[in-house]
Amino acid sequence: MRLAILLLCGIPWLPAHGQADLVAVHGKVWTEDPKHPEAEAIAVAGHRIVAVGTDDDVMKLAGPQTRVLDLKGRRVVPGFNDAHVHFFWGGQGLASVQLTDAHSGQEFADRIAAFAKTRPAGEWIVDGNWDEQKWSPVKLPSHELIDAVTPDNPVWVQRTDGHMMLANALAMKLAGITKATPDVPGGFIGRDKDGNPTGIFKDAAKDLVERVIPPPSDAQVDAALLAAQKYALDNGVTSVQDMGFTGSHAADMQALIVRGYQRLIAEGKWKVRVSARFPLDEGARLRGLGIMTNFGDDTLVIGSLKAFADGSLGSATAWFMQPFDDQPGNSGLPTEQLSHPEEFFAKLKAADLAGNHIATHAIGDRANKTILDLYERLEKEDGPADRRLRIEHAQHLRREDIPRFAQLHVIASVQPYHCIDDGRWAETRIGHERAATTYAFRSLLDAGAVLALGTDWFVAPMNPMVTIYAATTRRTLDGKHPGGWFPEQKLTVAQSVHAYTVGSAYAESQDDIKGSLEPGKLADFDVLSDDIFHMDPVAIENVKIAATVLGGEIVRQ
Ligand SMILES: [Zn+2]
């Protein structure tokens, strides 16, 4: 009936001939539209949805030219929107040596040796994403482990969290690193008992080496981005929010990548929707050009900013109120930019007044408290506004800071996979008491905060089913918490999907065009192999993406 009335009045976005380009019928559509939460079918014209309703309603819009997608009774959800990825970085990693699942230092070295044999002399070996917590015995690597097998290739491989690196002797030589190299504020250089660098570099100290690595060529950028796009589409991810890079070269790298996106769009090779953020320090440049948040089109936008408050828990550089349980005397540290809070605040304020939305990485409880304080001050000084302030990760929170997210309208952009990954060892580092308010997704939601879901890929798999499995089961990867690690913080499947679609769209201020399936919004949706709303969440990690529609085009079936 509703549709009949619409037809009489004419349906906006429907071409004059009155026929849809695509109808998807015989499904169980989870719309995320609170007025009509479930439907059977969707009609699409161009790249937008024109109707959502019963099969009968939607078939009325089908004509001879209309393509029919038979959903075969399967579950449809809005296209997943990953609120936090490092898209090029991840794509580059797909093409490099794979170290994540090495089980020992020896296997780590063997894989680097085998990969080095395939590379020309002089080419840098990067990425890798090693995780010494998976090794037995657990032990940080040093350059000696790989020097003999990499005499001709500088090596700069990163830990899976991206906050810690291992350089080989050649990389350190090219960067001029010696025993005499002074320590760096906001960073850490690993040293042996005689003060010689071990090859380990953390956070701000990474720049010492990164400044000598040549930038990727256009061809390398394109190859990495296309690999990343394929991986996203294979996982039913239709929108990504690209957080870019860390370090002093971050802005230059992100500029190369944004040019890459534009090149691939012009060549007709690009489909995934991207919101690319630049580092906070680029605020002045965006301001100077009058570029505000979401400058661009449905496929690519820029104009939002990313700041860093601290490091990571795995690298023991997250900034806490109290020392780590396993490292007395070390309570982590703020980033270089946050160690000058007034300067940092001035940048936030300038960005805020210019209409550039801000997201800040904060892991430790002190980092989170400090950013909440600064955001509160921003609200006070600049007055109420729709700023979509975000904290990325919001990982370890003091109990009293949890309600502040809702009170201050701060979006918690969280990555549930980190919970089942770090949950294996986090209590050794921060103890039971602090772990109880770690990855406190449910408490944040119950207190009224908006959650946006993502993966932090390359750090974690960009797989929404694995993310939802992690959020709803909290079963750590080591199998030691079959009932869930701090199970009171589990999300429901419906809460997870909402945060992964509507929540993520809200976090990038694009909830007017995506997040839910309703007329006028972009036709981005996924068809799932099983109905995740009616199954044991433990099995969700095995659910497959059966088909993906992006902008009205069936991009995967
Ligand atoms: Zn990240």
Side-chain angles (χ1 to χ4, degrees), residues 170-207:
L170 180 55
M172 288 195 283
K173 186 175 163 220
L174 291 169
I177 309 281
T178 65
K179 188 176 172 176
T181 303
D183 287 321
V184 179
F188 172 85
I189 302 172
R191 296 181 194 272
D192 66 16
K193 59 182 181 341
D194 301 319
N196 297 304
T198 61
I200 291 290
F201 295 82
K202 295 190 200 177
D203 291 305
K206 288 161 53 180
D207 281 343

Side-chain angles (χ1 to χ4, degrees), residues 503-520:
S504 295
Y506 180 83
E508 61 170 343
S509 200
Q510 297 211 40
D511 46 318
D512 55 334
I513 54 165
K514 27 169 131 151
S516 59
L517 301 175
E518 50 187 308

Side-chain angles (χ1 to χ4, degrees), residues 44-358:
V44 176
H47 58 285
R48 287 185 189 270
I49 295 169
V50 290
V52 179
T54 64
D55 287 335
D56 287 347
D57 286 342
V58 164
M59 281 311 288
K60 285 176 191 148
L61 298 174
Q65 304 301 323
T66 303
R67 184 161 180 194
V68 179
L69 173 64
D70 185 353
L71 299 167
K72 299 179 183 152
R74 288 175 301 199
R75 177 56 78 184
V76 172
V77 291
F80 289 104
N81 182 338
D82 195 315
H84 187 124
V85 297
H86 303 276
F87 217 52
F88 168 80
W89 210 339
Q92 183 176 254
L94 289 175
S96 189
V97 60
Q98 305 297 313
L99 301 171
T100 309
D101 56 350
H103 291 99
S104 65
Q106 190 55 50
E107 191 178 352
F108 166 88
D110 289 348
R111 289 192 189 186
I112 291 174
F115 187 75
K117 285 199 185 112
T118 70
R119 313 317 300 170
E123 187 176 289
W124 282 74
I125 295 173
V126 298
D127 283 288
N129 299 315
W130 47 274
D131 183 359
E132 85 292 350
Q133 295 288 338
K134 291 186 184 151
W135 300 356
S136 63
V138 173
K139 185 174 185 292
L140 276 183
S142 68
H143 68 89
E144 288 95 343
L145 188 60
I146 53 171
D147 282 344
V149 295
T150 54
D152 304 319
N153 296 89
V155 176
W156 181 243
V157 284
Q158 72 183 355
R159 190 176 186 278
T160 178
D161 61 8
H163 290 268
M164 197 191 312
M165 314 294 292
L166 178 70
N168 69 351
L170 180 55
M172 288 195 283
K173 186 175 163 220
L174 291 169
I177 309 281
T178 65
K179 188 176 172 176
T181 303
D183 287 321
V184 179
F188 172 85
I189 302 172
R191 296 181 194 272
D192 66 16
K193 59 182 181 341
D194 301 319
N196 297 304
T198 61
I200 291 290
F201 295 82
K202 295 190 200 177
D203 291 305
K206 288 161 53 180
D207 281 343
L208 294 172
V209 178
E210 280 171 3
R211 64 187 174 203
V212 302
I213 304 177
S217 66
D218 286 359
Q220 284 173 314
V221 169
D222 291 359
L225 289 179
L226 289 171
Q229 167 166 267
K230 179 176 186 309
Y231 179 62
L233 293 179
D234 284 349
N235 283 292
V237 176
T238 54
S239 288
V240 296
Q241 300 174 38
D242 185 357
M243 296 292 150
F245 299 83
T246 56
S248 61
H249 70 317
D252 294 341
M253 282 297 291
Q254 190 69 329
L256 280 182
I257 303 324
V258 167
R259 279 207 289 276
Y261 288 132
Q262 292 173 83
R263 204 162 45 237
L264 293 168
I265 289 168
E267 289 170 9
K269 294 176 183 163
W270 199 255
K271 300 182 192 307
V272 171
R273 304 187 195 285
V274 182
S275 164
R277 283 183 185 248
F278 279 93
L280 178 63
D281 284 345
E282 294 305 292
R285 225 164 359 158
L286 293 179
R287 229 166 27 249
L289 296 170
I291 291 174
M292 301 195 293
T293 277
N294 290 344
F295 176 81
D297 60 16
D298 293 344
T299 305
L300 174 66
V301 293
I302 60 167
S304 298
L305 298 166
K306 165 92 184 286
F308 278 89
D310 64 347
S312 79
L313 188 68
S315 296
T317 51
W319 194 28
F320 276 87
M321 309 295 285
Q322 303 294 330
F324 299 115
D325 289 35
D326 60 346
Q327 296 184 16
N330 179 17
S331 38
L333 69 175
T335 52
E336 165 69 11
Q337 65 180 180
L338 188 57
S339 57
H340 307 284
E342 285 308 312
E343 253 174 64
F344 184 83
F345 182 73
K347 288 175 190 167
L348 293 183
K349 190 176 165 82
D352 181 53
L353 292 173
N356 300 113
H357 292 177
I358 301 153

